[in-house]
Amino acid sequence: MENMNHVKLVNVFQTFKDQNPSMSLDELLYAVYKDVKSSENELFETLRSEILEANGINEFEYYTKDVNEDLKKYIKNDIFPKYDLNDKGHGIIHIIEVIRRSFALNDTLKLGLDKNMIYAIASYHDLGKYINSDIHEKIAADVFINDANMNRFFTNQQRIIIKEAIEDHRSSKEGNPRTIYGELISSADRNTRIKIVFIRSFFVAHERTPDMIIEDYLDFTFHRLSKRYSEENPENMFLEDDIYRAFLKDIRELLKHETQFKDKYCEINHITSRQHRVSEEQGEINYTIGKF
């Protein structure tokens, strides 16, 4: 049965790809999902992983194949290690996801933006979170603009655009980003997977509320996310696609069922007792292990 499903996912994906050559990878994944899902309640984020695995697609490699190799090498060796200083919710795996999402939106919405610039913006955007979370966008922008190595890859005008985009990425920022690059990174920084929302929020809790009892923390998180993702209080999202809309639909549906929400949160983060303090539970440590 597993092999049959694998073959089906390969065949359906290839059919959509052949018939729709202008579709982005995310559009193809979503089209396959709609075609093969077994029920209306089957989550997109679950099937998308199976589709990618069946077709042997590494999204990070797929999206960054045209980025300057020297730029990627420098950022991998000199910038990515700095994210070990951040909390795990804003560590390297989050950065890799924002890079992926930035490229996916650029492809899906046919923005035609400079791929090297996209890569740099996403790679630098959360530097300094460990220094001061409230102004980390300013810190990250300063790190970028003062990095003399970036003169090798970008013009002065491009570097200013990158700096401004990094400054403008905060979801809490009032007003619009100054450029389309700022809109892109701000939009790509939004979560689009329930699993990642739960994992990242628990790692942030380790930093901010380590002594809170899990049961109390679950109450707090349920009400916080209910407000954040409610239809009456939409995120300040600049560039939407079907992936984001599917995520909103799924998380809003889950938030209608408090018990189910809490059970899923504990399952994803491997919480063994709701009477423990946050600091007594490790969370999903495999989330912090990734390749790029």
Side-chain angles (χ1 to χ4, degrees):
M1 179 66 70
E2 184 175 341
N3 288 337
M4 288 178 61
N5 187 54
H6 181 100
V7 171
K8 180 179 180 181
L9 293 178
V10 171
N11 290 339
V12 174
F13 181 89
Q14 193 60 49
T15 297
F16 275 108
K17 184 177 180 181
D18 291 342
Q19 294 177 350
N20 305 276
S22 65
M23 270 190 173
S24 70
L25 176 58
D26 263 9
E27 288 176 304
L28 288 170
L29 293 172
Y30 193 64
V32 175
Y33 156 74
K34 290 194 295 183
D35 186 81
V36 305
K37 64 180 179 178
S38 57
S39 72
E40 288 301 317
N41 294 325
E42 189 162 13
L43 299 181
F44 169 64
E45 66 182 81
T46 301
L47 266 180
R48 74 183 301 283
S49 298
E50 295 179 17
I51 300 166
L52 288 166
E53 183 178 354
N55 287 276
I57 299 173
N58 178 309
E59 286 184 282
F60 188 79
E61 293 178 359
Y62 176 92
Y63 283 121
T64 64
K65 62 182 180 296
D66 296 326
V67 174
N68 183 297
E69 287 298 329
D70 288 335
L71 175 63
K72 286 200 290 187
K73 182 178 180 180
Y74 172 74
I75 287 177
K76 178 178 180 179
N77 292 335
D78 291 77
I79 301 303
F80 286 166
K82 298 180 188 298
Y83 282 101
D84 290 341
L85 299 171
N86 283 357
D87 68 80
K88 292 176 182 178
H90 295 89
I92 187 58
I93 303 304
H94 170 61
I95 302 309
I96 297 304
E97 170 63 11
V98 174
I99 291 172
R100 182 201 70 79
R101 184 75 177 130
S102 296
F103 278 88
L105 283 171
N106 183 55
D107 281 4
T108 296
L109 302 179
K110 309 296 186 288
L111 301 178
L113 301 182
D114 184 281
K115 294 181 179 180
N116 292 329
M117 292 174 66
I118 292 174
Y119 194 83
I121 293 165
S123 296
Y124 279 76
H125 85 278
D126 266 352
L127 288 174
K129 190 83 173 178
Y130 73 98
I131 297 174
N132 189 327
S133 178
D134 292 336
I135 58 168
H136 76 274
E137 73 279 11
K138 302 291 185 184
I139 297 171
D142 286 343
V143 171
F144 170 80
I145 204 67
N146 291 317
D147 189 338
N149 287 284
M150 291 298 102
N151 292 320
R152 297 162 46 201
F153 306 108
F154 304 107
T155 66
N156 287 339
Q157 182 179 11
Q158 288 175 321
R159 288 170 63 246
I160 291 171
I161 293 172
I162 293 170
K163 176 180 180 291
E164 291 178 347
I166 294 170
E167 289 176 340
D168 292 348
H169 86 268
R170 289 286 297 278
S171 61
S172 59
K173 176 181 173 62
E174 295 182 1
N176 296 336
R178 285 162 281 188
T179 67
I180 185 65
Y181 287 95
E183 293 183 357
L184 178 66
I185 186 64
S186 181
S187 301
D189 199 32
R190 305 297 198 279
N191 292 306
T192 55
R193 301 180 191 177
I194 293 173
K195 182 175 182 179
I196 290 181
V197 172
F198 287 1
I199 293 171
R200 291 185 65 214
S201 73
F202 196 62
F203 280 130
V204 171
H206 267 254
E207 296 288 325
R208 299 182 183 176
T209 57
D211 294 327
M212 185 177 283
I213 300 300
I214 295 291
E215 194 66 68
D216 295 334
Y217 175 71
L218 289 171
D219 288 337
F220 167 78
T221 301
F222 176 77
H223 292 296
R224 181 178 68 84
L225 293 182
S226 293
K227 180 179 179 180
R228 177 172 180 177
Y229 292 114
S230 71
E231 294 185 23
E232 294 75 27
N233 185 39
E235 291 187 291
N236 193 19
M237 187 73 164
F238 302 102
L239 302 174
E240 288 192 18
D241 61 354
D242 284 337
I243 306 303
Y244 180 69
R245 286 186 282 269
F247 162 74
L248 284 183
K249 175 179 175 293
D250 290 341
I251 197 165
R252 284 170 177 169
E253 181 60 32
L254 181 59
L255 285 164
K256 293 177 182 177
H257 310 282
E258 184 171 351
T259 298
Q260 184 181 345
F261 171 93
K262 292 179 178 179
D263 289 346
K264 189 172 186 66
Y265 193 98
C266 290
E267 176 188 349
I268 287 173
N269 285 299
H270 309 297
I271 292 171
T272 59
S273 172
R274 299 188 187 188
Q275 301 310 311
H276 281 170
R277 298 180 187 277
V278 167
S279 60
E280 294 178 295
E281 297 283 350
Q282 286 187 305
E284 173 52 282
I285 57 175
N286 288 327
Y287 168 79
T288 64
I289 303 171
K291 295 183 179 179
F292 48 86

